[in-house]
Amino acid sequence: MPTYTVTAPSGRLNAEQKQNLATAITRAHHDITGAPTYFAQVIFVEVQPGNYFVGGAPLAHDQIFIHGQIRAGRSEEDKRKLIEKILLVCSPAAAAPASALWVYLVDLPAAQMAEFGHILPEPGQEAQWSASLPAADRQRMEAGGRLLSEMDEAKAARCTSGTRIHPVSHLKYQRY
């Protein structure tokens, strides 16, 4: 469903600000589009100094880039309202002036996206789509990634090898 990537210089956002931004973006998307809050994903990317350029020069000022990928089909007015609301709620959440926030929305056709192993519905068809999902997929989606079986929890536990197994995809992550 909607995926918002928040990119900022490394260390610019603390854990509380990230939580506040994730909540604010999720709520803004829900308020404007009517989509369930559990559809929204917010991913944070921290960029090390020397890896963030604007106009061909290293970033020299406060800037937070919010890139939202949303399903196509929303009206231009709703997309404008969504951008305005994101600016309004994210400025205090990030302790940044609105001028430091750059917000971009990109439409993706629903037919070109799959989540939980299923092609996504057109806007407004979420309830029917959700009802048609197998119960396990629907429960996982509605839990917002918090639903783990005992087996998944065991796999997520730290291994003696110093790696962590991702609970859903079973990808290995290096321990920091």
Side-chain angles (χ1 to χ4, degrees):
M1 300 297 173
T3 301
Y4 290 89
T5 304
V6 179
T7 303
S10 183
R12 168 56 181 87
L13 300 170
N14 62 37
E16 182 180 5
Q17 289 170 322
K18 289 177 182 178
Q19 178 62 63
N20 292 342
L21 282 166
T23 300
I25 291 168
T26 299
R27 178 58 53 194
H29 188 88
H30 166 75
D31 289 349
I32 301 301
T33 69
T37 56
Y38 56 79
F39 279 1
Q41 302 180 81
V42 180
I43 301 167
F44 292 89
V45 177
E46 293 190 5
V47 181
Q48 297 299 315
N51 291 328
Y52 200 143
F53 291 76
V54 176
L59 181 67
H61 56 278
D62 193 22
Q63 181 171 318
I64 299 168
F65 180 66
I66 302 169
H67 181 214
Q69 296 175 316
I70 64 174
R71 282 175 298 146
R74 308 284 181 202
S75 71
E76 293 301 317
E77 179 182 354
D78 280 350
K79 288 185 277 189
R80 182 186 54 75
K81 286 179 183 177
L82 182 54
I83 290 170
E84 289 172 348
K85 181 136 189 178
I86 288 172
L87 288 169
L88 178 70
V89 298
C90 288
S91 177
S99 62
L101 303 177
W102 291 22
V103 180
Y104 294 7
L105 293 181
V106 176
D107 283 332
L108 296 174
Q112 295 178 10
M113 299 163 42
E115 294 180 8
F116 303 99
H118 307 277
I119 302 295
L120 296 184
E122 294 297 325
Q125 302 299 314
E126 294 89 356
Q128 297 91 325
W129 178 80
S130 180
S132 74
L133 292 176
D137 290 345
R138 187 172 47 259
Q139 289 172 342
R140 190 169 136 225
M141 176 183 66
E142 291 172 357
R146 292 180 299 276
L147 183 66
L148 298 176
S149 69
E150 288 181 19
M151 179 181 237
D152 286 338
E153 288 175 353
K155 288 179 183 176
R158 294 217 179 262
C159 299
T160 57
S161 64
T163 61
R164 180 172 170 85
I165 307 297
H166 187 280
V168 175
S169 64
H170 310 290
L171 297 173
K172 289 186 178 181
Y173 288 98
Q174 295 299 321
R175 185 171 59 187
Y176 327 104

